[in-house]
Amino acid sequence: MSANAELARAESYFLNEAPVTSRDRIVTGREVLTRGQLKPPSDYRLILAAAGRTELVELDAEIDLREYETPHFYALQSDRVFSFTVDEIDQVWANETIPVDLLVALVAMPPDRELLLERTGEPDIVLSSGGTVSLAGKAVEHLRTRPKAPHELVEVTVFTTSGTFPEEGALRVPPVTVVKQVLARAAAKLDLTDTTDWVVTVAPSARVTSAA
C-alpha cells in the first residue's frame, strides 16, 4: 500500500491540544499516553472530551477513534478524579481546578449562553472568562448554563488585600449601583470590620480594587 493510502487511512486526535496521527483505528488509554511520551502511564489520568461530554479512560480501555468527530484527550498527572455536572450531565476532570475557558470548550457551550455555579443557600455565581473553577470539597455542587443576560447588567469583582469577592466569577449588578453597596457586601463576606480608609480604583472591566 502506498504512503498516500496509508495517510488517508490514518486516524487523528488531540492530546493536550497537540494533534496526533494514528494508524490504528482503535487505541487504548495506555497507548495514547505512551505515544505522547507520558510515562509511566499509571501516573496519569486520561480524560476524553467529545460532543460536550468528558469521561475517564482507563489504561486498558479501548477507544474507537472513528466513533468521535474530533476526539480530544487530556492527560493530567494525578491520582484523583473529580465528578460534577453541567446542565445535569455528568462530567469528570482530574485536577482540583479547571480554567473556565477550558470548561466551556469541554462542554461545548454555545457562545450565547453563560456558565453558572449553583451553591446551596447562596446566590448563583456567573463564571467569567479568565477565571477558574474549584472542583474540590464542597466548592462545586452543580453547574448550569443559561442564555446570557441583557447588557443592562455589569459584572463586578472586588479585589482586596484580604481576598476576592465573590471568590469565583463575578456579581452582576445594574450599572447605577453605588460602589459603596458592593463594597459593603464584600466587607461582610470577607469579615472586614473597618473599611473607612479604603482606596477604590474602578478598572474598565468593572473590577474594583480596594486597599486599606
Side-chain angles (χ1 to χ4, degrees):
M1 183 177 295
S2 68
N4 288 339
E6 285 286 349
L7 185 60
R9 291 183 55 191
E11 305 296 332
S12 62
Y13 58 87
F14 289 84
L15 175 59
N16 292 345
E17 302 300 342
V20 180
T21 300
S22 171
R23 294 184 179 180
D24 299 318
R25 169 184 169 184
I26 298 177
V27 295
T28 65
R30 188 184 304 275
E31 289 170 341
V32 170
L33 291 167
T34 54
R35 290 174 184 177
Q37 302 303 312
L38 300 174
K39 303 174 183 177
S42 58
D43 282 354
Y44 294 84
R45 294 294 177 267
L46 188 64
I47 306 294
L48 170 61
R53 293 175 178 266
T54 55
E55 61 180 278
L56 177 66
V57 179
E58 300 290 352
L59 291 180
D60 295 324
E62 295 184 342
I63 299 295
D64 189 338
L65 297 175
R66 294 186 185 180
E67 291 184 355
Y68 304 91
E69 183 176 352
T70 309
H72 282 70
F73 293 97
Y74 294 88
L76 300 104
Q77 195 164 18
S78 171
D79 59 359
R80 301 182 63 186
V81 175
F82 299 87
S83 300
F84 58 100
T85 65
V86 178
D87 287 339
E88 300 182 2
I89 297 175
D90 292 333
Q91 308 284 356
V92 295
W93 193 242
N95 271 350
E96 291 189 358
T97 61
I98 181 171
V100 171
D101 294 320
L102 176 57
L103 178 56
V104 165
L106 294 179
V107 302
M109 189 181 79
D112 60 345
R113 298 184 71 82
E114 59 188 5
L115 191 63
L116 297 178
L117 172 63
E118 292 185 333
R119 288 180 172 177
T120 302
E122 297 185 30
D124 294 345
I125 295 177
V126 179
L127 299 175
S128 303
S129 176
T132 59
V133 182
S134 174
L135 304 175
K138 298 181 179 179
V140 168
E141 294 180 2
H142 302 288
L143 297 166
R144 64 182 178 91
T145 67
R146 71 179 182 190
K148 286 184 176 178
H151 292 296
E152 65 264 18
L153 298 180
V154 295
E155 294 185 353
V156 179
T157 305
V158 180
F159 297 91
T160 79
T161 54
S162 298
T164 303
F165 173 77
E167 184 178 352
E168 296 173 334
L171 294 177
R172 297 184 69 93
V173 299
V176 296
T177 300
V178 179
V179 173
K180 183 177 181 180
Q181 296 174 349
V182 178
L183 294 181
R185 295 178 62 181
K189 187 67 175 180
L190 298 174
D191 294 326
L192 301 174
T193 57
D194 185 6
T195 61
T196 55
D197 294 329
W198 276 16
V199 176
V200 179
T201 302
V202 180
S205 60
R207 294 185 173 189
V208 180
T209 303
S210 303

mmCIF file of all heavy atoms in Angstrom, residues 71-102:
data_model
loop_
_atom_site.group_PDB
_atom_site.id
_atom_site.type_symbol
_atom_site.label_atom_id
_atom_site.label_comp_id
_atom_site.label_asym_id
_atom_site.label_seq_id
_atom_site.Cartn_x
_atom_site.Cartn_y
_atom_site.Cartn_z
ATOM 1 N N PRO A 71 -11.956 13.741 18.607
ATOM 2 C CA PRO A 71 -11.652 13.353 19.995
ATOM 3 C C PRO A 71 -10.493 14.165 20.566
ATOM 4 O O PRO A 71 -9.451 14.315 19.928
ATOM 5 C CB PRO A 71 -11.295 11.873 19.887
ATOM 6 C CG PRO A 71 -10.871 11.688 18.469
ATOM 7 C CD PRO A 71 -11.624 12.677 17.647
ATOM 8 N N HIS A 72 -10.710 14.712 21.750
ATOM 9 C CA HIS A 72 -9.666 15.434 22.479
ATOM 10 C C HIS A 72 -9.375 14.675 23.764
ATOM 11 O O HIS A 72 -10.268 14.451 24.576
ATOM 12 C CB HIS A 72 -10.119 16.854 22.826
ATOM 13 C CG HIS A 72 -10.045 17.804 21.675
ATOM 14 N ND1 HIS A 72 -10.891 17.736 20.591
ATOM 15 C CD2 HIS A 72 -9.208 18.861 21.445
ATOM 16 C CE1 HIS A 72 -10.594 18.712 19.747
ATOM 17 N NE2 HIS A 72 -9.582 19.391 20.234
ATOM 18 N N PHE A 73 -8.118 14.274 23.927
ATOM 19 C CA PHE A 73 -7.680 13.630 25.162
ATOM 20 C C PHE A 73 -6.896 14.643 25.995
ATOM 21 O O PHE A 73 -6.130 15.447 25.466
ATOM 22 C CB PHE A 73 -6.777 12.429 24.870
ATOM 23 C CG PHE A 73 -7.472 11.277 24.202
ATOM 24 C CD1 PHE A 73 -7.411 11.120 22.825
ATOM 25 C CD2 PHE A 73 -8.177 10.342 24.946
ATOM 26 C CE1 PHE A 73 -8.038 10.051 22.198
ATOM 27 C CE2 PHE A 73 -8.806 9.269 24.342
ATOM 28 C CZ PHE A 73 -8.739 9.122 22.959
ATOM 29 N N TYR A 74 -7.105 14.570 27.311
ATOM 30 C CA TYR A 74 -6.352 15.409 28.240
ATOM 31 C C TYR A 74 -5.702 14.494 29.271
ATOM 32 O O TYR A 74 -6.406 13.748 29.966
ATOM 33 C CB TYR A 74 -7.257 16.429 28.919
ATOM 34 C CG TYR A 74 -7.816 17.447 27.952
ATOM 35 C CD1 TYR A 74 -8.997 17.188 27.266
ATOM 36 C CD2 TYR A 74 -7.152 18.645 27.713
ATOM 37 C CE1 TYR A 74 -9.507 18.108 26.357
ATOM 38 C CE2 TYR A 74 -7.655 19.572 26.812
ATOM 39 C CZ TYR A 74 -8.831 19.295 26.137
ATOM 40 O OH TYR A 74 -9.333 20.206 25.240
ATOM 41 N N ALA A 75 -4.378 14.531 29.333
ATOM 42 C CA ALA A 75 -3.624 13.715 30.285
ATOM 43 C C ALA A 75 -3.170 14.603 31.432
ATOM 44 O O ALA A 75 -2.483 15.604 31.216
ATOM 45 C CB ALA A 75 -2.425 13.071 29.600
ATOM 46 N N LEU A 76 -3.575 14.246 32.638
ATOM 47 C CA LEU A 76 -3.226 15.033 33.816
ATOM 48 C C LEU A 76 -2.538 14.136 34.826
ATOM 49 O O LEU A 76 -3.028 13.036 35.123
ATOM 50 C CB LEU A 76 -4.481 15.663 34.427
ATOM 51 C CG LEU A 76 -5.243 16.601 33.480
ATOM 52 C CD1 LEU A 76 -6.498 15.920 32.958
ATOM 53 C CD2 LEU A 76 -5.603 17.892 34.168
ATOM 54 N N GLN A 77 -1.405 14.595 35.327
ATOM 55 C CA GLN A 77 -0.664 13.816 36.309
ATOM 56 C C GLN A 77 -1.377 13.937 37.646
ATOM 57 O O GLN A 77 -1.264 14.944 38.347
ATOM 58 C CB GLN A 77 0.782 14.313 36.407
ATOM 59 C CG GLN A 77 1.704 13.350 37.128
ATOM 60 C CD GLN A 77 3.164 13.671 36.875
ATOM 61 O OE1 GLN A 77 3.502 14.765 36.446
ATOM 62 N NE2 GLN A 77 4.033 12.721 37.151
ATOM 63 N N SER A 78 -2.120 12.904 37.980
ATOM 64 C CA SER A 78 -2.977 12.957 39.158
ATOM 65 C C SER A 78 -3.385 11.542 39.530
ATOM 66 O O SER A 78 -3.354 10.624 38.711
ATOM 67 C CB SER A 78 -4.226 13.802 38.849
ATOM 68 O OG SER A 78 -5.172 13.717 39.895
ATOM 69 N N ASP A 79 -3.780 11.377 40.800
ATOM 70 C CA ASP A 79 -4.322 10.087 41.234
ATOM 71 C C ASP A 79 -5.781 10.227 41.654
ATOM 72 O O ASP A 79 -6.340 9.335 42.277
ATOM 73 C CB ASP A 79 -3.495 9.503 42.373
ATOM 74 C CG ASP A 79 -3.442 10.429 43.595
ATOM 75 O OD1 ASP A 79 -4.030 11.530 43.537
ATOM 76 O OD2 ASP A 79 -2.806 10.048 44.593
ATOM 77 N N ARG A 80 -6.397 11.368 41.306
ATOM 78 C CA ARG A 80 -7.788 11.616 41.687
ATOM 79 C C ARG A 80 -8.604 12.012 40.461
ATOM 80 O O ARG A 80 -8.067 12.507 39.464
ATOM 81 C CB ARG A 80 -7.875 12.720 42.740
ATOM 82 C CG ARG A 80 -7.129 12.438 44.020
ATOM 83 C CD ARG A 80 -7.310 13.571 45.013
ATOM 84 N NE ARG A 80 -8.706 13.733 45.412
ATOM 85 C CZ ARG A 80 -9.144 14.730 46.173
ATOM 86 N NH1 ARG A 80 -8.301 15.656 46.597
ATOM 87 N NH2 ARG A 80 -10.417 14.810 46.499
ATOM 88 N N VAL A 81 -9.901 11.774 40.586
ATOM 89 C CA VAL A 81 -10.841 12.197 39.548
ATOM 90 C C VAL A 81 -11.992 12.906 40.238
ATOM 91 O O VAL A 81 -12.544 12.403 41.216
ATOM 92 C CB VAL A 81 -11.370 10.996 38.726
ATOM 93 C CG1 VAL A 81 -12.432 11.464 37.734
ATOM 94 C CG2 VAL A 81 -10.224 10.316 37.992
ATOM 95 N N PHE A 82 -12.347 14.077 39.751
ATOM 96 C CA PHE A 82 -13.416 14.884 40.324
ATOM 97 C C PHE A 82 -14.636 14.836 39.415
ATOM 98 O O PHE A 82 -14.529 15.063 38.205
ATOM 99 C CB PHE A 82 -12.956 16.328 40.509
ATOM 100 C CG PHE A 82 -11.784 16.469 41.443
ATOM 101 C CD1 PHE A 82 -10.480 16.361 40.972
ATOM 102 C CD2 PHE A 82 -11.983 16.688 42.800
ATOM 103 C CE1 PHE A 82 -9.405 16.475 41.828
ATOM 104 C CE2 PHE A 82 -10.908 16.804 43.670
ATOM 105 C CZ PHE A 82 -9.620 16.696 43.182
ATOM 106 N N SER A 83 -15.776 14.518 40.008
ATOM 107 C CA SER A 83 -17.021 14.424 39.254
ATOM 108 C C SER A 83 -17.900 15.638 39.541
ATOM 109 O O SER A 83 -17.951 16.121 40.673
ATOM 110 C CB SER A 83 -17.778 13.142 39.629
ATOM 111 O OG SER A 83 -17.000 11.996 39.347
ATOM 112 N N PHE A 84 -18.594 16.111 38.529
ATOM 113 C CA PHE A 84 -19.513 17.238 38.672
ATOM 114 C C PHE A 84 -20.521 17.171 37.529
ATOM 115 O O PHE A 84 -20.433 16.276 36.669
ATOM 116 C CB PHE A 84 -18.748 18.579 38.650
ATOM 117 C CG PHE A 84 -17.939 18.815 37.411
ATOM 118 C CD1 PHE A 84 -18.412 19.618 36.392
ATOM 119 C CD2 PHE A 84 -16.682 18.236 37.257
ATOM 120 C CE1 PHE A 84 -17.667 19.839 35.236
ATOM 121 C CE2 PHE A 84 -15.925 18.445 36.111
ATOM 122 C CZ PHE A 84 -16.426 19.251 35.100
ATOM 123 N N THR A 85 -21.485 18.052 37.527
ATOM 124 C CA THR A 85 -22.467 18.065 36.463
ATOM 125 C C THR A 85 -22.558 19.453 35.852
ATOM 126 O O THR A 85 -22.348 20.461 36.521
ATOM 127 C CB THR A 85 -23.868 17.654 36.961
ATOM 128 O OG1 THR A 85 -24.341 18.634 37.901
ATOM 129 C CG2 THR A 85 -23.847 16.283 37.605
ATOM 130 N N VAL A 86 -22.867 19.485 34.567
ATOM 131 C CA VAL A 86 -23.188 20.722 33.856
ATOM 132 C C VAL A 86 -24.512 20.485 33.147
ATOM 133 O O VAL A 86 -24.609 19.575 32.312
ATOM 134 C CB VAL A 86 -22.098 21.111 32.841
ATOM 135 C CG1 VAL A 86 -22.509 22.381 32.082
ATOM 136 C CG2 VAL A 86 -20.760 21.329 33.541
ATOM 137 N N ASP A 87 -25.512 21.262 33.520
ATOM 138 C CA ASP A 87 -26.864 21.051 32.989
ATOM 139 C C ASP A 87 -27.321 19.602 33.196
ATOM 140 O O ASP A 87 -27.894 18.968 32.304
ATOM 141 C CB ASP A 87 -26.936 21.434 31.507
ATOM 142 C CG ASP A 87 -26.884 22.937 31.301
ATOM 143 O OD1 ASP A 87 -27.183 23.679 32.259
ATOM 144 O OD2 ASP A 87 -26.545 23.377 30.186
ATOM 145 N N GLU A 88 -26.996 19.083 34.369
ATOM 146 C CA GLU A 88 -27.389 17.742 34.808
ATOM 147 C C GLU A 88 -26.739 16.619 33.994
ATOM 148 O O GLU A 88 -27.181 15.466 34.045
ATOM 149 C CB GLU A 88 -28.921 17.590 34.778
ATOM 150 C CG GLU A 88 -29.631 18.593 35.683
ATOM 151 C CD GLU A 88 -31.127 18.425 35.685
ATOM 152 O OE1 GLU A 88 -31.630 17.505 35.006
ATOM 153 O OE2 GLU A 88 -31.813 19.206 36.365
ATOM 154 N N ILE A 89 -25.684 16.941 33.280
ATOM 155 C CA ILE A 89 -24.911 15.939 32.537
ATOM 156 C C ILE A 89 -23.619 15.684 33.300
ATOM 157 O O ILE A 89 -22.885 16.620 33.633
ATOM 158 C CB ILE A 89 -24.601 16.412 31.104
ATOM 159 C CG1 ILE A 89 -25.907 16.598 30.321
ATOM 160 C CG2 ILE A 89 -23.690 15.417 30.390
ATOM 161 C CD1 ILE A 89 -25.712 17.176 28.938
ATOM 162 N N ASP A 90 -23.335 14.424 33.594
ATOM 163 C CA ASP A 90 -22.143 14.073 34.360
ATOM 164 C C ASP A 90 -20.870 14.405 33.585
ATOM 165 O O ASP A 90 -20.755 14.124 32.383
ATOM 166 C CB ASP A 90 -22.148 12.581 34.696
ATOM 167 C CG ASP A 90 -23.254 12.216 35.686
ATOM 168 O OD1 ASP A 90 -23.659 13.096 36.465
ATOM 169 O OD2 ASP A 90 -23.705 11.054 35.664
ATOM 170 N N GLN A 91 -19.916 15.004 34.290
ATOM 171 C CA GLN A 91 -18.622 15.342 33.725
ATOM 172 C C GLN A 91 -17.535 14.942 34.715
ATOM 173 O O GLN A 91 -17.812 14.746 35.902
ATOM 174 C CB GLN A 91 -18.517 16.848 33.442
ATOM 175 C CG GLN A 91 -19.639 17.442 32.620
ATOM 176 C CD GLN A 91 -19.551 17.111 31.145
ATOM 177 O OE1 GLN A 91 -18.594 16.487 30.683
ATOM 178 N NE2 GLN A 91 -20.555 17.518 30.375
ATOM 179 N N VAL A 92 -16.300 14.816 34.235
ATOM 180 C CA VAL A 92 -15.164 14.490 35.111
ATOM 181 C C VAL A 92 -13.962 15.334 34.735
ATOM 182 O O VAL A 92 -13.831 15.800 33.601
ATOM 183 C CB VAL A 92 -14.784 12.989 35.036
ATOM 184 C CG1 VAL A 92 -15.900 12.111 35.559
ATOM 185 C CG2 VAL A 92 -14.413 12.592 33.607
ATOM 186 N N TRP A 93 -13.071 15.513 35.711
ATOM 187 C CA TRP A 93 -11.784 16.163 35.483
ATOM 188 C C TRP A 93 -10.820 15.606 36.509
ATOM 189 O O TRP A 93 -11.235 15.041 37.520
ATOM 190 C CB TRP A 93 -11.914 17.688 35.599
ATOM 191 C CG TRP A 93 -10.730 18.450 35.079
ATOM 192 C CD1 TRP A 93 -9.910 19.274 35.782
ATOM 193 C CD2 TRP A 93 -10.247 18.461 33.736
ATOM 194 N NE1 TRP A 93 -8.942 19.813 34.962
ATOM 195 C CE2 TRP A 93 -9.122 19.320 33.687
ATOM 196 C CE3 TRP A 93 -10.661 17.830 32.560
ATOM 197 C CZ2 TRP A 93 -8.398 19.557 32.526
ATOM 198 C CZ3 TRP A 93 -9.942 18.057 31.393
ATOM 199 C CH2 TRP A 93 -8.828 18.911 31.385
ATOM 200 N N ALA A 94 -9.533 15.757 36.264
ATOM 201 C CA ALA A 94 -8.544 15.117 37.132
ATOM 202 C C ALA A 94 -7.658 16.111 37.868
ATOM 203 O O ALA A 94 -6.620 15.733 38.398
ATOM 204 C CB ALA A 94 -7.676 14.152 36.317
ATOM 205 N N ASN A 95 -8.055 17.364 37.918
ATOM 206 C CA ASN A 95 -7.375 18.361 38.738
ATOM 207 C C ASN A 95 -8.388 19.021 39.661
ATOM 208 O O ASN A 95 -9.584 19.047 39.354
ATOM 209 C CB ASN A 95 -6.708 19.445 37.872
ATOM 210 C CG ASN A 95 -5.289 19.068 37.484
ATOM 211 O OD1 ASN A 95 -4.726 18.097 37.990
ATOM 212 N ND2 ASN A 95 -4.712 19.825 36.576
ATOM 213 N N GLU A 96 -7.902 19.608 40.756
ATOM 214 C CA GLU A 96 -8.804 20.290 41.684
ATOM 215 C C GLU A 96 -9.414 21.543 41.074
ATOM 216 O O GLU A 96 -10.476 21.985 41.497
ATOM 217 C CB GLU A 96 -8.063 20.647 42.974
ATOM 218 C CG GLU A 96 -7.695 19.442 43.821
ATOM 219 C CD GLU A 96 -7.161 19.855 45.177
ATOM 220 O OE1 GLU A 96 -7.058 21.085 45.408
ATOM 221 O OE2 GLU A 96 -6.854 18.971 45.990
ATOM 222 N N THR A 97 -8.736 22.127 40.106
ATOM 223 C CA THR A 97 -9.256 23.326 39.454
ATOM 224 C C THR A 97 -9.248 23.142 37.947
ATOM 225 O O THR A 97 -8.480 22.324 37.410
ATOM 226 C CB THR A 97 -8.418 24.571 39.808
ATOM 227 O OG1 THR A 97 -7.064 24.375 39.361
ATOM 228 C CG2 THR A 97 -8.414 24.829 41.307
ATOM 229 N N ILE A 98 -10.084 23.941 37.285
ATOM 230 C CA ILE A 98 -10.129 23.917 35.833
ATOM 231 C C ILE A 98 -10.426 25.329 35.349
ATOM 232 O O ILE A 98 -11.296 26.010 35.898
ATOM 233 C CB ILE A 98 -11.194 22.914 35.315
ATOM 234 C CG1 ILE A 98 -11.204 22.875 33.785
ATOM 235 C CG2 ILE A 98 -12.570 23.221 35.859
ATOM 236 C CD1 ILE A 98 -12.070 21.763 33.217
ATOM 237 N N PRO A 99 -9.706 25.820 34.346
ATOM 238 C CA PRO A 99 -9.988 27.152 33.820
ATOM 239 C C PRO A 99 -11.399 27.220 33.231
ATOM 240 O O PRO A 99 -11.862 26.262 32.592
ATOM 241 C CB PRO A 99 -8.921 27.345 32.731
ATOM 242 C CG PRO A 99 -7.820 26.392 33.098
ATOM 243 C CD PRO A 99 -8.509 25.217 33.719
ATOM 244 N N VAL A 100 -12.070 28.337 33.458
ATOM 245 C CA VAL A 100 -13.438 28.496 32.946
ATOM 246 C C VAL A 100 -13.455 28.346 31.429
ATOM 247 O O VAL A 100 -14.341 27.684 30.864
ATOM 248 C CB VAL A 100 -14.014 29.867 33.358
ATOM 249 C CG1 VAL A 100 -15.345 30.130 32.651
ATOM 250 C CG2 VAL A 100 -14.196 29.926 34.868
ATOM 251 N N ASP A 101 -12.488 28.936 30.745
ATOM 252 C CA ASP A 101 -12.473 28.880 29.279
ATOM 253 C C ASP A 101 -12.334 27.441 28.784
ATOM 254 O O ASP A 101 -12.962 27.058 27.791
ATOM 255 C CB ASP A 101 -11.340 29.744 28.733
ATOM 256 C CG ASP A 101 -11.546 31.220 29.019
ATOM 257 O OD1 ASP A 101 -12.698 31.690 28.912
ATOM 258 O OD2 ASP A 101 -10.566 31.912 29.350
ATOM 259 N N LEU A 102 -11.519 26.653 29.457
ATOM 260 C CA LEU A 102 -11.369 25.256 29.066
ATOM 261 C C LEU A 102 -12.650 24.484 29.337
ATOM 262 O O LEU A 102 -13.095 23.677 28.516
ATOM 263 C CB LEU A 102 -10.196 24.617 29.816
ATOM 264 C CG LEU A 102 -9.977 23.118 29.590
ATOM 265 C CD1 LEU A 102 -9.787 22.799 28.103
ATOM 266 C CD2 LEU A 102 -8.787 22.619 30.400
#
